[in-house]
Amino acid sequence: MKNIFKFLSISALLFLLTSCTESHTLPFEVEKPSSIADQEIINAYSDLKSYVDRQLNPSFKLGAGITLTDYTSKSVMYRLVNSNFDEVTMGYEMKHGAVVQADGTLKLDNIQDLLETAAAADVSVFGHTLCWHANQNAAYLKKLIAPDVLSSTGPGWDLVTENDFETTNSANFQVNSGLTVSYTAVGQGSNGSGKALKLTNESVRTNEWDAQLYVKFSPGVKVGEKYKLTLDVRADVTASSPTQAQLNPGGYRHWDFFGAVPYTTTWAPYVKEITVTEQMVDCNTIAFNLGKTASSFYYDNLKIERYNATGSVQTLEKTPEQKKVIIGEALDSWISGMLTVCAPYVKAWDVVNEPMDDANPYELKTGVGKTNIAGDEFYWQDYLGKDYAVEAFRLARKYGNSTDKLFVNDYNLEYNIDKCKGLIQYVNYIESKGQVVDGIGTQMHINIHSDKDKIETMFQLLAATGKLIKVSELDVAAGLSPTAFDLQLQADMYKFIVDKYMQYIPVNQRYGITVWGITDSPASSSWLPGQNQGIFNQVFTRKPSYASFAEGLKSL
């Protein structure tokens, strides 16, 4: 019986195996996991650029922000970009810091390689960027304007103290209660450069020493020494201020120290050399007596020097005018060198990048008074003044193609509406000086919770300029470890941006949209580490944001 059962069992098994080879279907279906089904829907979308209606938007460019080596090495990113995008923008490699060498020469071989590689793939290159404060070869530029070494032997003047009043550092001066201390705006210092100290005496005092500026130095003077005071001064009215020699602490010592300083309503230098007398000995402070005149008094480029008959290393600080010329020549060299190589290929540029200050959005950024300046920061505007962008546009027109589209580009315009308005004002200023700004770029590094009302307001303001409008650096951060709901919010935001761009920006003003977040950044990245901002994940799988972005492009 046992053997019969065994035989039947084997026979039954063989029957079942045989039946599986027949073309009968099972009486039930296995449901496909929703994640797979959803991904298949996303993967069914065509390449992104195929969704742009070229008849309605003949000039629209769908751009991608990438690194040069990712493209020129013809990696996966190269193929992905060529399939989906019309244009590429380099994140770093076309900037001053990457190109200008320590001796001022320009290294352009890798850029030439990029341009030729992109041209062969029928992909345009957007020039980013010609004049910016970050990613600069600041060491080279600062070396150009460093003080000149006059000699290391022979007699000369040794610097005791100086203050150009570009910061609020008051270590070497103080005032008494009769004066109100403030600083001018940038560009209102001597020769229209930088800041100046502003001291206001509201009313005529009983004694002229009731309103005093004290300039301190060390060590105290000795009999027979020679000292020189140099400064630039002006006032709101014509005036004069005697100077006293003082001990600090200790007070008044001698009535006349460095003469009486004359003030007119325009900037003028004041230079006074003295030989120390017994009445001045040990004094370490000059007191400027301002109490007899109700006015505002302005001081810039103050310097006290002591004559050294035995000799020392002598240096000479370049004047603001000299620095302006030198930095202007450096800007000319940089822009002419870049455009000579790029002009045959590059037809659009960010000429000026991120000009507006975040805290004072109607004013230009400045490095003056900034204590944490990075090693690659250099503020061209601090040397060339408010017209630095005017000059940059002039040079771009001079060395580029006559039909190039030239942009001003900035960030947080959708976050800070005043900054958007401030940028528009500055664009108007550039044009009032005779240059043409073709377009405005808005960097949109946003997240899934960004204020949509402000985004709409920004697009409306930009559209009203009549300029070409470019969303220059679009990514939408979904955050660390995003949920499926977060990823859907991200997808919705990508589509929202395209929809509102189309709604508010007229067809003839649509330069294009550049996606900065093509792939998610790893946790080790310097850019939005782990923030899952892309339309592809790190292994180049399309995300829901890819599909929603494509849907938005359909409506262009």
Side-chain angles (χ1 to χ4, degrees), residues 420-477:
C420 183
K421 294 177 180 178
L423 181 66
I424 292 170
Q425 282 190 9
Y426 190 52
V427 167
N428 292 336
Y429 175 81
I430 295 170
E431 296 203 314
S432 75
K433 294 294 185 175
Q435 297 303 314
V436 175
V437 179
D438 297 300
I440 299 175
T442 172
Q443 300 176 27
M444 297 189 69
H445 302 298
I446 60 177
N447 60 57
I448 57 178
H449 302 299
S450 291
D451 190 325
K452 291 183 176 181
D453 289 338
K454 287 185 176 181
I455 290 172
E456 292 192 67
T457 299
M458 175 199 71
F459 278 136
Q460 291 172 311
L461 289 170
L462 294 178
T465 66
K467 303 295 183 186
L468 293 172
I469 303 303
K470 178 177 190 270
V471 177
S472 57
E473 301 181 15
L474 176 63
D475 47 35
V476 181

Side-chain angles (χ1 to χ4, degrees), residues 206-223:
T206 302
N207 301 300
E208 60 187 355
W209 55 84
D210 288 340
Q212 285 183 310
L213 162 67
Y214 307 100
V215 177
K216 300 175 288 184
F217 56 92
S218 179
V221 300
K222 303 300 180 185
V223 174

Side-chain angles (χ1 to χ4, degrees), residues 132-336:
W132 192 25
H133 69 278
N135 292 165
Q136 308 297 288
N137 189 334
Y140 165 71
L141 294 171
K142 290 176 181 178
K143 182 175 69 175
L144 293 178
I145 55 175
D148 295 320
V149 177
L150 301 181
S151 69
S152 57
T153 60
W157 294 95
D158 290 339
L159 182 66
V160 176
T161 188
E162 65 178 346
N163 198 329
D164 59 8
F165 304 106
E166 297 301 329
T167 72
T168 57
N169 180 5
S170 60
N172 70 341
F173 79 90
Q174 65 189 59
V175 300
N176 66 12
S177 59
L179 295 171
T180 301
V181 179
S182 61
Y183 294 82
T184 68
V186 174
Q188 295 181 5
S190 176
N191 299 305
S193 176
K195 297 180 181 179
L197 176 67
K198 178 180 179 181
L199 302 179
T200 301
N201 180 31
E202 298 290 350
S203 61
V204 176
R205 308 291 173 175
T206 302
N207 301 300
E208 60 187 355
W209 55 84
D210 288 340
Q212 285 183 310
L213 162 67
Y214 307 100
V215 177
K216 300 175 288 184
F217 56 92
S218 179
V221 300
K222 303 300 180 185
V223 174
E225 290 181 329
K226 293 182 179 180
Y227 278 78
K228 179 167 65 174
L229 169 66
T230 305
L231 72 162
D232 296 324
V233 294
R234 74 174 182 88
D236 289 341
V237 299
T238 301
S240 176
S241 65
T243 58
Q244 294 180 2
Q246 295 205 350
L247 293 172
N248 194 338
Y252 167 75
R253 184 65 179 267
H254 177 68
W255 180 251
D256 185 75
F257 199 9
F258 281 87
V261 180
Y263 302 84
T264 65
T265 55
T266 58
W267 283 106
Y270 179 74
V271 181
K272 179 70 173 180
E273 294 182 21
I274 65 165
T275 299
V276 177
T277 66
E278 292 184 359
Q279 290 81 13
M280 305 172 184
V281 69
D282 294 332
C283 288
N284 60 357
T285 301
I286 306 172
F288 296 78
N289 296 334
L290 306 173
K292 285 298 185 181
T293 306
S295 177
S296 289
F297 299 83
Y298 304 84
Y299 300 84
D300 204 356
N301 304 319
L302 187 151
K303 183 164 56 176
I304 299 172
E305 298 167 285
R306 179 176 56 197
Y307 188 78
N308 185 341
T310 61
S312 62
V313 175
Q314 301 298 308
T315 61
L316 179 63
E317 182 75 24
K318 294 180 175 67
T319 67
E321 291 78 12
Q322 290 173 319
K323 292 178 181 180
K324 184 175 183 178
V325 171
I326 292 168
I327 295 304
E329 290 173 346
L331 185 64
D332 188 305
S333 175
W334 154 241
I335 292 180
S336 64

Side-chain angles (χ1 to χ4, degrees), residues 32-44:
K32 187 180 296 184
S34 61
S35 60
I36 295 177
D38 291 344
Q39 191 62 49
E40 287 179 345
I41 293 172
I42 297 172
N43 292 343

